[in-house]
């Protein structure tokens, strides 16, 4: 196995230029802080941006930047100021970030930013391709690089690619407002495994794929031609040991070695016997609910004045994306709110809020976590929120209360915290009071459970789980019985075909020779298809049988000038190449008058569906219906029809977005057999894409070559990717 290539927009290190040198600091943000531990331990390289515009790095320091990055197994991708503006501030943080966090009114849809996003994703793809060996595994991270999996896949079709989205994936109703929604989904689907923090995000993604790309998923797998994409949720953990050890160390050191910051915190804590600290730590981002948190704290002091001079809110906000107007406005709003509350409530001995607008070294972060009685984390939306987990990990004596918004991904795992709705002021205020008054035993009881979970599912376990699942997803294809019809297999089949004296082809129509159209009548054979089948059929000692579920009128009209054998309605009718339509069996249709009204009630209740009436069957089509409703109703209809059909000797065939009701005992396999018994063949070929073709694959003799279109469970021996590959293959036959 090769190395892992991690790619994220931002490297775990941030480069800054000082007067004559460079300064390296750790990056802030869940992705970088979380993944760093995984990267440190394994055989991986990390590709990403250093946080500096390319133009601002003096030429003589460029080598040093590379060197510093290399020390941490990182490979910088340079971004120009223009790219930073269009790709980073623009499409990533003025379009995707707000949209995916349900701030639709903040989302801007600028074609220029989109172009920049595509270009920069391409730049990352090139950096990956330059460093990629065939046995490497690629792990792409987050919303800035949604197009990257496909870009890499296009160049390296067989490489193993995982993608993890660290932010929420919104409801399809929100996602579909994005003008470039198809490209984004297709970009992500370049991966073999797509991971989200929670099942909700996974569900939203699958529904968007279904609704927008009209691609189905079976459980959590999306079948795409010759690939399967697996989608799953993996809640990201933290490096638990790192936080708890740091906290223990800090407690065990002599107080003289405490940081000045810790001394300040202690000073407050010792000011009265019941002094308490509440912390609030985030990047300064409008999704974090910081302004409302301050308001709620002000309201708390008003509602419960007995806490004045006893509690203090220590607010740490890291500057983030400062070129985006909403972040600038938020900064102003927070400054004002802090000023207002401090101005209103402060006394000579006490300021209610200590506000720090900067990043802090790890040690100070630990000081804060371990000195605080309460952590107040109230995002309006947050993919995960690692701060909540870090706080719990540092509570080595198991005291402390976490107040956490239900809108954070972390709330799904941390349900022993005080879970609040960030828009409900009264609830937040009362939760603060509950937290401050919570008996120690209860704090310990809750934290014990939280710590147990966080200790078990660490970031290391998370990454391992993801990588294992990625390998499984990649191997899944080989577990599907059919073998891919590769160029070598094709050559062998063609050779066999050439040697044979009596050759026959059974070819399904929809989904095999043509792609599905919205309406069945729109999937007419195009001139090149007519010509292709004509040529194949004209070869010596070769018979072609088009075997379809379609009615005989449509098939007969479309293929009137091509003297192939036609089998319609799954085997009810046969038109020999040189003759007229005739029934293959004696079939009755008096059941239709009883079944039709049942289907009609389903059409009435399910917009977009309709009934097709064939000579010997009735078909309910739901391709145009809402995909989920269509499936639910198809299941319902199947059940309803069960009683009815068994009384009439009928069967229900589940095709591709259709339910077909017909007399039992008629299927493509039986119909094919009727032709096969008449003559001996030494080359038999059957190809089709859906469930109804399985009858054909099962009935054809063992030596037959059977081919499924698309990667699905099948009894066929081989599979091909799509209609285009079917046509190419038939072209090869017709040339020989
Ligand atoms: P997001 O990914 O949206 O930034 P998370 O809570 O998941 O939010 O991750 C934030 C990460 O940044 C945490 O690991 C936290 O320790 C770190 N962090 C937050 N604020 C600061 C700060 N002021 N100084 C240093 N690190 C910080
Ligand atoms: C969140 C995102 C990360 C991002 C981080 C910091 O955690 O999921 O992808 O790196 O915020 O944001 P920034 O824009 O500074 O990289």
């Amino acid at each position: 196995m090769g190395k892992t290539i991690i790619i994220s927009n931002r490297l775990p290190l941030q480069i800054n230029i000082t007067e004559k040198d460079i300064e390296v600091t750790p990056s802030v943000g869940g992705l970088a802080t979380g993944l760093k531990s995984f990267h440190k331990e394994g055989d991986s390289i990390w590709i990403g941006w250093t946080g500096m515009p390319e133009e601002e790095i003096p030429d003589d320091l460029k080598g040093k930047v590379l060197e510093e990055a290399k020390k941490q197994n990182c490979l910088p991708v340079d971004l120009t100021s223009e790219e930073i503006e269009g790709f980073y501030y623009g499409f990533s943080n003025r379009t995707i970030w707000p949209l995916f966090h349900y701030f639709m009114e903040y989302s801007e849809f600028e074609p220029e930013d989109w172009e920049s996003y595509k270009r920069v994703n391409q730049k990352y793809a090139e950096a990956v391709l330059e460093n990629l060996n065939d046995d490497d595994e690629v792990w792409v991270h987050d919303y800035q690089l949604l197009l990257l999996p496909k870009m890499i896949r296009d160049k390296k079709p067989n490489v193993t690619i995982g993608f993890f989205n660290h932010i929420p994936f919104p409801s399809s109703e929100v996602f579909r407002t994005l003008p470039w929604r198809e490209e984004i989904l297709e970009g992500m689907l370049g991966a073999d495994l797509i991971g989200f923090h929670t099942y909700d995000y996974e569900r939203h993604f699958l529904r968007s794929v279904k609704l927008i790309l009209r691609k189905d998923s079976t459980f959590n797998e999306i079948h795409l031609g010759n690939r399967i994409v697996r989608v799953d949720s993996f809640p990201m953990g933290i490096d638990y040991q790192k936080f708890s050890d740091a906290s223990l160390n800090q407690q065990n050191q002599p107080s003289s070695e405490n940081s000045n910051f810790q001394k300040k915190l202690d000073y407050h804590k010792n000011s009265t016997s019941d002094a308490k600290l509440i912390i609030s730590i985030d990047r300064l981002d409008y999704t974090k609910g910081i302004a409302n948190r301050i308001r709620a704290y002000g309201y708390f002091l008003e509602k419960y004045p007995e806490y004045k001079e006893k509690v203090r809110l220590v607010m740490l906000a890291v500057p983030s994306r400062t070129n985006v107007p909403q972040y600038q406005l938020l900064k102003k709003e927070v400054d004002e709110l802090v000023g207002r509350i401090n101005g209103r409530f402060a006394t000579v001995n006490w300021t209610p809020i200590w506000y720090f607008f900067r990043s802090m070294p790890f040690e100070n972060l630990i000081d804060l976590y371990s000195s605080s009685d309460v952590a107040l984390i109230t995002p309006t939306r947050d993919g995960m929120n690692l701060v909540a987990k870090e706080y719990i990990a540092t509570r080595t004596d198991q005291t402390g209360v976490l107040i956490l918004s239900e809108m954070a991904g972390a709330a799904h795992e941390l349900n022993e915290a005080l879970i609040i709705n960030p828009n409900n002021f009264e609830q937040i205020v009362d939760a603060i009071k509950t937290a401050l008054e919570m008996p120690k035993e209860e704090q310990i009881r809750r934290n014990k459970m939280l710590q147990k979970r966080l200790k078990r599912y660490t970031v290391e376990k998370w990454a391992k789980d993801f990588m294992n699942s990625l390998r499984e997803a990649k191997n899944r294809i080989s577990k599907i019985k059919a073998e891919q019809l590769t160029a070598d297999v094709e050559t062998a089949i063609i050779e066999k075909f050439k040697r044979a004296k009596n050759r026959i082809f059974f070819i399904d129509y929809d989904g095999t020779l043509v792609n599905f159209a919205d309406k069945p009548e729109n999937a007419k054979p195009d001139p090149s298809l007519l010509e292709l089948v004509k040529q194949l059929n004209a070869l010596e000692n070769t018979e072609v049988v088009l075997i379809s579920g379609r009615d005989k009128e449509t098939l007969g009209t479309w293929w009137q000038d091509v003297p192939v054998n036609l089998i319609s309605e799954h085997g009810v009718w046969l038109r020999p190449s040189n003759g007229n339509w005739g029934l293959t069996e004696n079939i009755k249709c008096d059941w239709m008058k009883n079944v039709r009204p049942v289907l009609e009630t389903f059409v009435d209740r399910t917009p977009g569906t309709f009934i097709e009436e064939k000579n010997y069957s009735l078909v309910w089509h739901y391709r145009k219906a809402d995909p989920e409703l269509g499936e639910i109703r198809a299941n319902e209809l199947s059940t309803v029809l069960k009683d009815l059909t068994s009384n009439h000797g009928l069967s229900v065939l589940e095709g591709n977005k259709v339910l077909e009701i017909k007399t039992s005992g008629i299927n493509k396999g039986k119909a094919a057999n009727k032709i096969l018994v008449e003559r001996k063949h030494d080359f038999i070929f059957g190809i089709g894409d859906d469930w109804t073709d399985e009858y054909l694959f099962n009935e054809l003799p063992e030596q037959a070559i059977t081919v499924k279109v698309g990667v699905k469970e099948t009894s066929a021996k081989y599979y091909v990717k799509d209609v285009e590959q079917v046509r190419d293959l038939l072209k090869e036959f017709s040339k020989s």
Side-chain angles (χ1 to χ4, degrees):
M1 201 171 50
K3 61 184 179 303
T4 306
I5 305 186
I6 300 173
I7 311 108
S8 65
N9 173 48
R10 195 182 275 287
L11 284 175
L13 51 96
Q14 162 79 35
I15 302 281
N16 288 308
I17 305 290
T18 54
E19 263 177 42
K20 276 204 169 86
D21 205 353
I22 66 170
E23 178 194 64
V24 186
T25 51
S27 297
V28 183
L31 188 168
T33 55
L35 210 59
K36 211 156 51 179
S37 313
F38 166 76
H39 174 56
K40 252 192 208 151
E41 284 173 17
D43 175 20
S44 51
I45 59 164
W46 192 326
I47 298 180
W49 174 49
T50 57
M52 282 287 293
E54 190 180 338
E55 303 88 330
E56 288 180 22
I57 308 176
D59 286 344
D60 58 329
L61 289 180
K62 286 203 165 123
K64 183 120 194 251
V65 170
L66 272 178
E67 213 176 279
E68 287 296 331
K70 217 168 167 194
K71 278 190 201 157
Q72 300 189 32
N73 280 337
C74 290
L75 241 151
V77 171
D78 287 330
L79 298 184
T80 63
S81 307
E82 198 187 334
E83 287 168 339
I84 294 169
E85 182 47 39
F87 154 77
Y88 172 69
Y89 287 118
F91 199 76
S92 298
N93 289 316
R94 281 199 294 259
T95 309
I96 303 266
W97 179 271
L99 192 72
F100 280 33
H101 285 86
Y102 294 84
F103 281 79
M104 289 178 76
E105 70 282 16
Y106 288 3
S107 235
E108 294 171 17
F109 302 126
E110 290 294 337
E112 278 177 18
D113 289 347
W114 166 241
E115 290 306 320
S116 174
Y117 186 79
K118 281 196 286 186
R119 273 198 306 275
V120 174
N121 269 251
Q122 194 60 53
K123 199 168 186 176
Y124 276 95
E126 276 146 30
V128 174
L129 291 166
E130 272 168 31
N131 291 283
L132 179 66
N133 296 323
D134 285 344
D135 56 349
D136 289 345
E137 292 169 324
V138 178
W139 193 3
V140 182
H141 291 267
D142 230 357
Y143 66 103
Q144 302 92 341
L145 301 173
L146 296 170
L147 303 177
L148 193 54
K150 180 172 187 300
M151 287 173 171
I152 301 172
R153 171 85 49 214
D154 285 347
K155 288 280 169 359
K156 289 269 182 187
N158 296 320
V159 73
T160 305
I161 308 175
F163 176 82
F164 197 89
N165 198 54
H166 289 258
I167 66 171
F169 195 92
S171 146
S172 55
E173 283 306 304
V174 171
F175 180 74
R176 74 192 184 122
T177 59
L178 188 65
W180 306 280
R181 57 204 183 175
E182 288 88 359
E183 289 96 322
I184 295 281
L185 292 176
E186 276 160 4
M188 295 171 79
L189 288 176
D192 297 295
L193 172 66
I194 302 177
F196 297 96
H197 284 306
T198 73
Y199 175 64
D200 283 340
Y201 308 155
E202 172 189 340
R203 202 164 49 83
H204 291 156
F205 173 75
L206 286 172
R207 178 146 170 85
S208 290
V209 168
K210 191 172 231 185
L211 205 79
I212 294 164
L213 298 183
R214 293 258 154 194
K215 286 193 173 32
D216 279 328
S217 48
T218 318
F219 300 107
N220 61 343
E221 286 181 348
I222 302 165
H223 292 243
L224 301 174
N226 61 348
R227 294 200 305 118
I228 295 175
V229 181
R230 185 177 284 183
V231 183
D232 214 336
S233 56
F234 307 84
M236 189 182 195
I238 55 164
D239 186 344
Y240 189 92
Q241 211 60 41
K242 181 174 128 186
F243 283 90
S244 76
D245 285 354
S247 169
L248 277 176
N249 283 344
Q250 187 246 37
Q251 286 160 40
N252 293 336
Q253 72 193 7
S255 55
S256 57
E257 283 179 27
N258 283 353
S259 65
N260 284 338
F261 187 63
Q262 180 66 53
K263 284 179 190 150
K264 281 270 296 206
L265 295 173
D266 289 341
Y267 177 76
H268 168 76
K269 289 207 81 169
N270 298 331
S271 61
T272 63
S273 60
D274 46 4
K276 303 261 175 167
L277 279 181
I278 303 175
I279 49 157
S280 140
I281 301 186
D282 341 64
R283 278 181 308 101
L284 191 78
D285 196 298
Y286 51 81
T287 61
K288 303 285 185 183
I290 299 172
N292 265 357
R293 190 181 310 165
I294 305 172
R295 284 192 195 97
Y297 178 64
Y299 180 39
F300 166 79
L301 293 175
E302 197 178 299
K303 190 167 172 190
Y304 301 109
E306 62 273 26
Y307 281 98
K308 284 185 196 166
E309 296 199 312
K310 289 185 185 146
V311 294
R312 176 164 276 154
L313 176 66
V314 185
M315 256 192 59
L316 203 58
V318 195
S320 186
R321 306 172 196 163
T322 41
N323 276 20
V324 177
Q326 276 89 18
Y327 289 75
Q328 294 161 357
L329 289 174
L330 177 64
K331 165 81 176 52
K332 206 161 156 254
E333 190 183 5
V334 167
D335 286 352
E336 279 169 16
L337 276 167
V338 170
R340 200 178 316 152
I341 287 176
N342 277 345
R344 175 158 170 221
F345 295 101
T347 62
V348 265
N349 302 319
W350 174 71
T351 8
I353 305 177
W354 274 347
Y355 171 42
F356 302 87
F357 179 56
R358 57 172 183 255
S359 179
M360 283 226 178
F362 181 71
E363 298 69 43
N364 289 159
L365 212 59
I366 298 295
D367 290 340
L368 247 188
Y369 281 142
S370 44
S371 307
S372 304
D373 305 280
V374 177
L376 184 58
I377 301 176
T378 58
T380 47
R381 289 280 163 188
D382 204 336
M384 171 49 75
N385 196 294
L386 296 183
V387 168
K389 294 185 171 183
E390 292 170 4
Y391 174 69
I392 296 294
T394 57
R395 308 302 305 174
T396 50
D397 67 354
Q398 298 185 322
T399 61
V401 183
L402 171 65
I403 301 176
L404 180 61
S405 159
E406 65 182 56
M407 306 297 174
H412 291 260
E413 295 162 83
L414 306 183
N415 32 41
E416 289 82 7
L418 296 180
I419 304 289
I420 50 96
N421 174 347
N423 304 310
N424 185 339
F425 261 40
E426 292 292 340
Q427 201 189 16
I428 301 178
V429 165
D430 291 340
I432 297 178
K433 183 161 187 286
T434 309
L436 292 170
E437 289 173 2
M438 189 181 283
K440 274 224 159 67
E441 306 74 57
E442 187 180 344
Q443 297 178 23
I444 293 173
R445 187 176 54 75
R446 287 172 184 255
N447 289 338
K448 228 182 209 151
M449 288 190 266
L450 291 170
Q451 289 187 343
K452 196 168 161 205
R453 209 166 303 133
L454 293 179
K455 224 185 257 179
R456 206 175 44 227
Y457 205 78
T458 58
V459 67
E460 196 192 337
K461 180 89 178 45
W462 166 81
K464 264 198 192 132
D465 260 13
F466 183 90
M467 293 313 272
N468 286 340
S469 187
L470 174 60
R471 281 162 211 147
E472 255 171 45
K474 193 72 186 171
N475 291 336
R476 170 85 172 88
I477 260 188
S478 53
K479 290 199 189 123
I480 287 191
K481 230 175 84 199
E483 183 189 326
Q484 185 169 13
L485 203 149
T486 55
D488 289 348
V489 175
E490 183 176 319
T491 315
I493 295 175
I494 301 270
E495 281 311 309
K496 190 169 178 206
F497 170 77
K498 282 185 188 158
R499 287 196 304 273
K501 301 274 179 308
N502 270 310
R503 316 180 285 201
I504 188 161
F505 286 83
F506 293 98
I507 308 174
D508 166 54
Y509 184 73
D510 294 276
T512 302
L513 288 179
V514 292
N515 284 313
F516 286 97
D518 286 350
K519 289 191 191 149
E521 60 269 31
N522 290 346
K524 249 174 121 161
D526 49 277
S528 66
L529 177 63
L530 290 169
E531 189 51 35
L532 171 64
V533 175
K534 206 181 217 168
Q535 276 179 18
L536 188 66
N537 191 53
L539 293 176
E540 240 176 276
N541 305 325
T542 307
E543 272 183 87
V544 175
V545 185
L546 296 188
I547 187 161
S548 161
R550 294 236 176 206
D551 64 72
K552 73 182 202 311
E553 284 71 26
T554 311
L555 276 187
T557 315
W558 286 353
W559 295 93
Q560 62 186 347
D561 298 328
V562 185
V564 285
N565 299 284
L566 295 176
I567 291 178
S568 74
E569 297 182 35
H570 303 291
V572 175
W573 296 92
L574 167 69
R575 187 202 79 174
S577 54
N578 51 1
N580 295 320
W581 287 105
L583 277 175
T584 57
E585 308 244 350
N586 209 356
I587 305 161
K588 287 208 190 92
C589 286
D590 46 356
W591 53 270
M592 282 193 185
K593 61 179 186 310
N594 297 327
V595 173
R596 192 172 229 291
V598 178
L599 297 191
E600 274 161 0
T601 61
F602 275 76
V603 170
D604 294 341
R605 290 167 53 220
T606 323
T609 66
F610 61 92
I611 301 169
E612 182 189 2
E613 188 160 348
K614 298 189 191 170
N615 294 307
Y616 290 94
S617 65
L618 286 176
V619 192
W620 181 67
H621 287 257
Y622 61 96
R623 176 167 304 278
K624 289 271 277 172
D626 173 280
E628 273 167 11
L629 181 64
E631 257 155 44
I632 292 170
R633 289 283 152 78
N635 269 336
E636 237 179 88
L637 180 57
S638 264
T639 317
V640 171
L641 286 172
K642 226 169 230 151
D643 284 343
L644 209 61
T645 49
S646 61
N647 292 340
H648 286 84
L650 303 172
S651 57
V652 181
L653 287 186
E654 287 174 34
N656 196 324
K657 305 283 179 231
V658 295
L659 279 189
E660 177 147 7
I661 302 100
K662 54 188 238 356
T663 309
S664 293
I666 302 232
N667 63 52
K668 289 181 177 177
K670 261 181 114 179
N673 252 338
K674 288 214 166 87
I675 297 184
L676 288 175
V677 291
E678 286 172 13
R679 288 175 289 282
K680 261 204 150 344
H681 296 88
D682 52 358
F683 180 89
I684 303 170
F685 182 96
I687 190 164
D689 72 304
D690 78 10
W691 192 79
T692 64
D693 302 303
E694 294 296 320
Y695 284 109
L696 177 70
F697 303 145
N698 286 325
E699 282 289 326
L700 292 182
E702 184 51 30
Q703 75 274 19
I705 291 155
T706 47
V707 184
K708 183 89 167 179
V709 186
V711 183
K712 298 163 203 161
E713 302 283 354
T714 178
S715 342
K717 288 183 189 141
Y718 303 103
Y719 74 88
V720 291
K721 200 169 116 199
D722 51 20
V723 169
E724 282 63 45
Q725 205 186 339
V726 175
R727 290 194 185 197
D728 289 344
L729 178 64
L730 296 182
K731 236 174 252 161
E732 289 306 314
F733 283 117
S734 68
K735 280 197 263 175
S736 46

